[in-house]
Amino acid sequence: MTSPESSAAGPAATDQAAAGPAQWAQGQGHWQTGAETAPWQTGAETAPPADVRDAVSAADGRLPRRRGRTALLIATAAVLGLVAGIAVGYGVQAERPPTPLPALAQPGLAYPGKALPEGREPDPLSDKEDRSRRTAGDLRKLLIPRPKGAREVDVPTFDGGSLPVDGWMTAADYATEYVDEGSMFEYFAEEDIRRVAGADWERGQYGQIAVRLVQFRSGAGMGAVDFAESQLDYMPESDEGAGYAGDPIKGSGNGRYFVYPVQNKPGYLPLYEARALGYRGDVMFDIHIFDTRPISKRDIRTLAERQLERL
């Protein structure tokens, strides 16, 4: 029924400045005015006449200034003093007795010479202790079950978007749910997205629900965290977001849920929307509810808490 706005946290495309009378000379570190050399130059090493140098300095707001003999003598004396000080310091340090380093806090660290005998191996970590075990399997199994009264759909929830195929979505399909799908797909590629699991349902006459689990590969970046935070950043805005900071999802520490102000347009039914965002480890979850009837906070909060519990 509507598309979530993409946030500015995605990779900002580099805009090239409009070509003007002065352009940056790539690799040369200076502004040029259309010619490789200034009018007074006849070669790479030719300096401008004195009167031209004075005019250029004045144009830059700096008065012409000569470097006199006194300044050179002072600079030379400073360098000699620095060298002498370093030499004296090395001499003093060399005459001092060596200071022994403190002992290691754990000098006996070592790996066992051989593996433990069968039957004495430590028990593997549980799902509660190692969350990666839960998300390493079939991500679709972590989607919340279909809510009571909801049914499958045959049309995408988002305008211009795609339906999950057997519970899966490609990064390209998922990017179509955002306004600037090209930038979003580039962002997903750069952040090393791994996979997307999704489910779409409808309930009542016009109600729609969409759930997305977006998983990123482990690496130097923090894909799920960064992506969720980028979406949460614009939610307090009234133009693209819900217009307020949202309410915390119990037990998440980072997730929030929102109920948007109703949208009324002449000739159309009213549009109500709610959204929940959060993350657990390398998985970010995003839940949307659309309807022509009011959506309570309890509706979106319940779905968010159930999804968080499964993660």
Side-chain angles (χ1 to χ4, degrees), residues 114-123:
K114 58 181 180 179
L116 293 174
E118 186 177 355
R120 296 185 59 187
E121 304 94 338
D123 295 331

Side-chain angles (χ1 to χ4, degrees), residues 41-298:
Q41 290 181 323
T42 58
E45 300 298 328
T46 304
D51 56 340
V52 177
R53 291 199 304 268
D54 294 348
V56 172
S57 297
D60 291 342
R62 300 189 302 271
L63 295 177
R65 179 181 176 184
R66 293 182 179 179
R67 184 175 296 278
R69 181 178 177 84
T70 303
L72 180 61
L73 292 175
I74 294 175
T76 303
V79 172
L80 291 176
L82 179 61
V83 173
I86 293 175
V88 172
Y90 274 113
V92 172
Q93 184 66 25
E95 295 178 358
R96 292 178 177 175
T99 303
L101 294 175
L104 295 176
Q106 294 177 311
L109 287 177
Y111 290 101
K114 58 181 180 179
L116 293 174
E118 186 177 355
R120 296 185 59 187
E121 304 94 338
D123 295 331
L125 297 176
S126 63
D127 289 347
K128 185 177 182 180
E129 295 169 322
D130 184 4
R131 290 175 179 165
S132 62
R133 289 186 56 193
R134 179 180 290 269
T135 58
D138 191 340
L139 191 63
R140 298 171 299 176
K141 294 182 178 179
L142 298 183
L143 289 165
I144 55 174
R146 183 172 58 188
K148 184 178 180 180
R151 55 191 181 274
E152 300 294 336
V153 295
D154 53 7
V155 294
T157 300
F158 300 96
D159 293 338
S162 302
L163 275 175
V165 178
D166 195 23
W168 294 113
M169 300 184 72
T170 66
D173 290 338
Y174 182 52
T176 62
E177 297 182 352
Y178 291 83
V179 174
D180 191 348
E181 60 183 271
S183 295
M184 291 306 298
F185 179 74
E186 182 180 354
Y187 173 79
F188 293 146
E190 290 179 351
E191 293 297 318
D192 206 9
I193 193 172
R194 179 182 175 186
R195 53 186 178 171
V196 181
D200 290 58
W201 303 294
E202 62 181 6
R203 65 180 181 183
Q205 187 174 6
Y206 297 109
Q208 292 176 303
I209 301 173
V211 183
R212 302 289 183 262
L213 299 183
V214 188
Q215 187 174 31
F216 294 83
R217 291 182 176 88
S218 300
M222 302 178 68
V225 177
D226 293 340
F227 185 36
E229 293 294 341
S230 72
Q231 297 295 294
L232 288 167
D233 282 346
Y234 76 82
M235 289 301 292
E237 300 176 8
S238 57
D239 293 338
E240 299 179 347
Y244 72 111
D247 297 298
I249 301 174
K250 184 179 178 181
S252 71
N254 53 58
R256 306 190 78 81
Y257 62 91
F258 308 83
V259 175
Y260 290 66
V262 60
Q263 299 181 35
N264 288 303
K265 291 184 180 180
Y268 292 87
L269 293 172
L271 175 61
Y272 295 89
E273 180 180 357
R275 188 184 188 188
L277 286 159
Y279 56 88
R280 266 291 182 268
D282 57 359
V283 178
M284 173 263 207
F285 67 87
D286 192 357
I287 305 173
H288 286 265
I289 304 178
F290 302 99
D291 209 330
T292 57
R293 297 187 299 180
I295 302 171
S296 68
K297 286 188 175 183
R298 182 178 180 275

